[in-house]
Amino acid sequence: MTTDPSQLQLTADGRLKHFLTTEGLSRALLTEILDTADSFISTQERAVKKVPLLRGKTVVNLFFENSTRTRSTFELAATRLSADILNLDIQRSATAKGETLMDTLWNLEAMYSDMFVVRHADSGAAHFIAEQVTPNVAIINAGDGRHAHPTQAMLDMLTIRRHKHQIAGQIVAIVGDILHSRVARSQIHALLALGAAEVRVVGPATLLPKDIESLGAKAYYDLNLALRDCDVVIMLRLQKERMQNALLPSEGEFFKLYGLTTEKLALAKPDAIVMHPGPINRGVEIESAVADGPQSVILNQVSYGIAVRMAVMAMAMSGQQASQQAAQQPVEGDTE
Amino acid sequence: MKYLHIRDARVIAPAQQLDDVCDLYLAEGQLRAIGEKPAGGTIESTLDAQGNWLVPGFIDLSSYLNEPGYTQRGTIASETRAAAAAGFSHVCAQPLTRPVADSPAVIQLMQDKASSAGYSRLLPLGALTQGLEGEQLANMVSLRNAGCIALSNARQPIKDSYVLRRLMEYAATYDILLFLSADDAALSNGGVMHEGPTATRLGLAGIPETAETIALAQILLLIEQTGVRAHISQISCARSVSMLREARQRGLQVSADVAIANLCYTDAQVNGYDSRYHLLPSLRSEADRQALLAAVNAGELAICSNHQPHEIVAKKAPFAESAAGMALYAPFIGLLLQRVNDGELTLNAALSALSTLPAATLGLHSGFAEGQRFNASLINPEQTDAYGRSGQVIATFVDGFKVYQQPS
């Protein structure tokens, strides 16, 4: 009955029809996403920024979890593709009235929506919707629990590619709270598929999930060791509640051990770039001098976000349409 | 005397080292003879059982019947019928009902419903704590007197080790049997599946093995201290198997069971966020599954269904929000015989784990002794079930009465 997320998001001929996870996607498809995003970056620099790829389509932003920043980039991306867009901050209101997730979505589907951009606190929520609720609506995962945040990961890939020219061969360190990070999981899958030489995950044992190496990453407890020969350093945001949950003693101690300072960054390759999915906790995971320094590419990341989201929305919508047309074609030999 | 004659069945009763094709004669609810017809009397009817197995009635040490209170999931009548169709003559019903089965009135109601339905015999498990809240002792003696065969907290947490100690002491005073499950809620910490590679990949919060083993260590030490009669419900880890073995070697009298699902599946089944496999206890690693199978083969663990049906909508949700539990009566025989056919369980060990061992825990009779109440089921090992697995129950007998007959 259930399908692996990596298969569920593809059409029979291997095109994207949902975008749920970076796991299981081929290097060719990930590269196509990046190339498409690249082409949209040039349109962003024009006076008229709109392209008509999603004209007449309705995109619904379904945010069960608050996120102004991610939601706005999706909204801008949909607008620039000429789609009609509806923003719904559902959070807990509908479910608090006793409506199930399925009821909410069936109502929206009945309004002839073509695409749902979904953010939800439960791992697997986007997958559940794509498989069991509204299979004919293209689903874009805008973050599900600890599982995946594939558009964020792809904008990180775009950032790396634009600064380093390629992802193949790069040594990348991801530092901080890996346990709770959907971004880290999506980055690991994308980096490895795109040929990164090594992906290192760095943090204390409380913040590294058990068996993280089964995803192909290498676990490090010592930031100084992990930074050696690194081409890319990705710092993750540390949530305040980690201190209350006995995962860390204090922000101060975390910064001493895993905070990125100019001194520590010097251990990486001289041309290493520093990334952060934002919003930054200055003085907790990264020192201001590094965040604002010459090796930081943090601001560029934000501007690439719209292009990447335009790319996956356009690709998934086209794949979804192709797959529905294929389903409507009469089967050969079927007389009726 | 008028006899029911069961002809040419392969009669298998591990406790009596019996495995032979022979005839049985029943009268007045009792088994009267194996082999030759007793002198005198007439044969009223004959059941041709050629090619079928006649095995002791299965005794289920854990099942959720959901009545009273959750009848949208199933009723005592529907679920005891399903149990009979899976070969169970006796079913221990967990007290997770609404209201909770912590009073003689609810126990009485459940027994009335079961006897008027007339399928498998219901053996009520009374709540160990009031409202299953884990804090205040339930009226244990009243529940025992009302007919509870044992008391259980239905996998709901006991507040702390102090309450655990006291409830064991109190139960020991009156020689009341306790069913205890090993789960340290603080270590489970909101987890929804086995902590391992699949949980990491799917981003689901994990339940570490130590959530079970630490709780089990605590339970075993307190059983030793209090001398309570206790049974450990549904262990899931290899380490728990060895801990139980060590405790028994020290002389502790303690029985335990494993849910059929943990003998058949591993955590890999959750791939694709398949909420059907959201179970408690969680499905664990292949090494755990192998250790549990070995323990069943060694006669150290009983098997229970841990049948827990839910309404469809409770399962149709993102994994963490879906209800834990699975309806297991319909696939039960197929799953069990698949283990046997795949060489993972011996037939004798599998049958013993469903009859001899649970009977010993509960102090019931099992097997085929002349002059005893006849509890048995007739299995066609070849017939395939709705899931394509081999093995179907043809008929189930409870106290000599045929309570289930496969629809033709």
Side-chain angles (χ1 to χ4, degrees):
Chain A
M1 190 176 82
T2 57
T3 320
D4 204 71
S6 52
Q7 295 310 306
L8 184 66
Q9 60 190 348
L10 298 177
T11 63
D13 57 351
R15 297 166 63 193
L16 217 52
K17 63 172 175 174
H18 303 292
F19 191 46
L20 306 176
T21 172
T22 51
E23 186 184 358
L25 294 183
S26 67
R27 185 170 185 165
L29 186 56
L30 292 171
T31 305
E32 187 190 342
I33 295 173
L34 296 178
D35 293 346
T36 312
D38 258 334
S39 73
F40 283 131
I41 288 178
S42 56
T43 69
Q44 300 310 297
E45 288 154 4
R46 295 199 303 246
V48 178
K49 297 180 171 66
K50 279 199 178 188
V51 291
L53 287 171
L54 260 60
R55 178 172 293 157
K57 301 291 180 192
T58 305
V59 174
V60 184
N61 261 337
L62 272 170
F63 277 59
F64 295 87
E65 236 185 22
N66 215 349
S67 169
T68 314
R69 230 168 36 119
T70 305
R71 206 195 64 185
S72 332
T73 58
F74 272 107
E75 192 175 342
L76 261 180
T79 309
R80 291 187 180 166
L81 291 166
S82 311
D84 297 318
I85 178 129
L86 177 64
N87 280 312
L88 287 178
D89 275 318
I90 301 176
Q91 290 174 40
R92 295 273 156 198
S93 66
T95 35
K97 286 178 208 152
E99 193 175 68
T100 67
L101 178 56
M102 287 193 297
D103 293 328
T104 310
L105 292 164
W106 282 333
N107 268 310
L108 292 167
E109 191 189 27
M111 297 174 197
Y112 299 103
S113 309
D114 300 288
M115 177 175 281
F116 291 156
V117 176
V118 181
R119 152 104 28 136
H120 198 286
D122 279 326
S123 297
H127 175 267
F128 168 73
I129 294 166
E131 181 174 53
Q132 299 199 42
V133 188
T134 53
N136 295 324
V137 175
I139 308 294
I140 307 291
N141 186 1
D144 64 323
R146 306 175 181 184
H147 171 237
H149 194 350
T151 59
Q152 174 67 44
M154 290 313 290
L155 93 81
D156 296 331
M157 297 308 112
L158 187 64
T159 308
I160 297 173
R161 198 172 78 163
R162 287 181 76 99
H163 285 90
K164 294 279 173 192
H165 311 294
Q166 60 174 5
I167 288 160
Q170 308 288 334
I171 296 177
V172 182
I174 308 174
V175 185
D177 183 2
I178 313 290
L179 179 67
H180 298 90
S181 178
R182 51 194 171 210
V183 175
R185 283 176 178 77
S186 288
Q187 286 168 337
I188 293 168
H189 295 305
L191 284 166
L192 292 172
L194 288 164
E198 196 178 322
V199 180
R200 301 170 177 174
V201 289
V202 194
T206 48
L207 296 181
L208 295 185
K210 199 174 169 235
D211 306 302
I212 185 69
E213 295 199 334
S214 67
L215 300 187
K218 203 165 167 352
Y220 280 79
Y221 301 114
D222 182 339
L223 181 61
N224 294 339
L225 284 179
L227 288 174
R228 202 170 288 165
D229 301 322
C230 251
D231 299 292
V232 178
V233 186
I234 302 175
M235 304 304 296
L236 298 174
R237 180 179 166 79
L238 187 76
Q239 307 284 346
K240 301 258 185 222
E241 55 268 27
R242 305 306 168 227
M243 263 59 74
Q244 284 130 42
N245 212 359
L247 292 165
L248 287 176
S250 67
E251 290 181 347
E253 179 148 319
F254 180 79
F255 183 72
K256 269 187 211 137
L257 293 166
Y258 300 102
L260 191 62
T261 58
T262 315
E263 213 178 12
K264 284 182 186 160
L265 183 57
L267 298 169
K269 284 196 187 144
D271 62 346
I273 56 169
V274 176
M275 300 167 61
H276 190 302
I280 304 175
N281 286 317
R282 287 167 189 264
V284 177
E285 62 257 359
I286 192 166
E287 176 184 85
S288 280
V290 175
D292 306 327
Q295 287 169 270
S296 163
V297 296
I298 293 169
L299 273 180
N300 294 7
Q301 281 174 264
V302 181
S303 61
Y304 297 155
I306 296 162
V308 161
R309 278 152 191 148
M310 287 172 76
V312 295
M313 287 168 112
M315 287 168 68
M317 188 74 88
S318 129
Q320 183 66 230
Q321 277 172 333
S323 129
Q324 283 172 32
Q325 276 160 9
Q328 281 162 10
Q329 294 288 323
V331 179
E332 206 177 333
D334 193 349
T335 48
E336 180 47 53
Chain B
M1 185 134 336
K2 289 178 174 169
Y3 292 104
L4 168 65
H5 172 206
I6 301 177
R7 189 170 64 200
D8 285 341
R10 177 180 165 195
V11 182
I12 315 171
Q16 293 147 280
Q17 277 119 40
L18 178 65
D19 185 350
D20 213 352
V21 175
C22 53
D23 290 12
L24 274 80
Y25 298 87
L26 318 177
E28 294 168 338
Q30 293 175 355
L31 176 62
R32 289 305 169 96
I34 302 179
E36 297 296 316
K37 178 179 162 297
T42 52
I43 289 171
E44 188 174 46
S45 62
T46 296
L47 182 63
D48 182 5
Q50 200 177 16
N52 294 336
W53 300 347
L54 188 75
V55 303
F58 298 163
I59 300 167
D60 196 354
L61 291 171
S62 176
S63 181
Y64 294 80
L65 302 185
N66 289 316
E67 188 174 1
Y70 301 102
T71 50
Q72 74 276 20
R73 301 174 189 165
T75 62
I76 285 175
S78 69
E79 301 318 292
T80 51
R81 185 182 187 281
F88 289 95
S89 57
H90 292 74
V91 173
C92 292
Q94 291 285 3
L96 190 66
T97 50
R98 194 172 52 195
V100 165
D102 62 1
S103 69
V106 178
I107 300 301
Q108 188 64 55
L109 173 89
M110 291 168 72
Q111 286 172 322
D112 287 350
K113 295 262 182 193
S115 50
S116 68
Y119 300 110
S120 304
R121 178 139 306 199
L122 181 118
L123 304 172
L125 299 174
L128 191 45
T129 59
Q130 295 193 18
L132 293 174
E133 282 168 4
E135 292 193 26
Q136 207 177 333
L137 309 193
N139 293 307
M140 296 191 193
V141 175
S142 312
L143 287 168
R144 196 259 313 273
N145 293 345
C148 291
I149 194 145
L151 302 180
S152 150
N153 221 46
R155 298 201 74 86
Q156 305 297 304
I158 303 289
K159 187 183 165 218
D160 54 31
S161 41
Y162 173 82
V163 176
L164 188 61
R165 173 200 172 175
R166 293 305 185 198
L167 61 83
M168 284 193 194
E169 280 178 340
Y170 190 83
T173 314
Y174 305 101
D175 194 30
I176 291 171
L177 174 65
L178 300 187
F179 278 22
L180 300 166
S181 55
D183 180 29
D184 184 310
L187 276 171
S188 291
N189 190 30
V192 294
M193 70 173 293
H194 170 64
E195 184 175 272
T198 306
T200 292
R201 233 186 93 231
L202 295 178
L204 291 171
I207 300 174
E209 176 192 290
T210 46
E212 178 168 303
T213 50
I214 285 176
L216 181 60
Q218 194 176 58
I219 289 171
L220 292 173
L221 291 169
L222 285 171
I223 293 174
E224 198 171 321
Q225 181 185 319
T226 59
V228 71
R229 273 202 302 138
H231 170 81
I232 312 297
S233 295
Q234 302 117 40
I235 62 164
S236 66
C237 307
R239 189 66 187 271
S240 303
V241 171
S242 53
M243 288 170 71
L244 277 167
R245 200 170 290 155
E246 286 155 20
R248 286 166 179 156
Q249 279 164 1
R250 283 201 312 272
L252 201 65
Q253 299 275 329
V254 61
S255 57
D257 67 57
V258 55
I260 183 82
N262 292 78
L263 295 175
C264 302
Y265 307 120
T266 65
D267 62 332
Q269 213 72 28
V270 178
N271 269 328
Y273 297 101
D274 195 333
S275 65
R276 290 176 300 172
Y277 299 96
H278 183 189
L279 302 177
L280 280 177
S282 300
L283 298 171
R284 293 199 180 268
S285 69
E286 180 60 16
D288 291 313
R289 191 181 79 90
Q290 290 298 338
L292 293 166
L293 287 164
V296 172
N297 279 328
E300 295 168 8
L301 281 181
I303 300 174
C304 70
S305 74
N306 215 28
H307 173 74
Q308 191 170 17
H310 286 289
E311 59 274 41
I312 287 168
V313 69
K315 278 289 188 186
K316 285 238 174 199
F319 191 88
E321 285 185 23
S322 66
M326 184 191 253
L328 275 147
Y329 283 141
F332 190 85
I333 279 289
L335 287 171
L336 185 77
L337 293 195
Q338 193 174 45
R339 304 282 76 71
V340 173
N341 295 333
D342 289 354
E344 293 184 334
L345 288 181
T346 67
L347 179 59
N348 262 328
L351 296 177
S352 175
L354 282 156
S355 56
T356 321
L357 293 181
T361 295
L362 300 174
L364 302 176
H365 293 293
S366 171
F368 301 130
E370 291 173 12
Q372 251 175 30
R373 294 259 150 209
F374 184 68
N375 291 297
S377 73
L378 202 56
I379 294 171
N380 181 333
E382 310 292 337
Q383 211 177 75
T384 52
D385 66 11
Y387 309 89
R389 299 189 188 98
S390 301
Q392 286 265 65
V393 171
I394 304 294
T396 300
F397 295 86
V398 175
D399 289 344
F401 293 98
K402 197 198 287 175
V403 300
Y404 170 78
Q405 165 81 53
Q406 187 182 51
S408 46

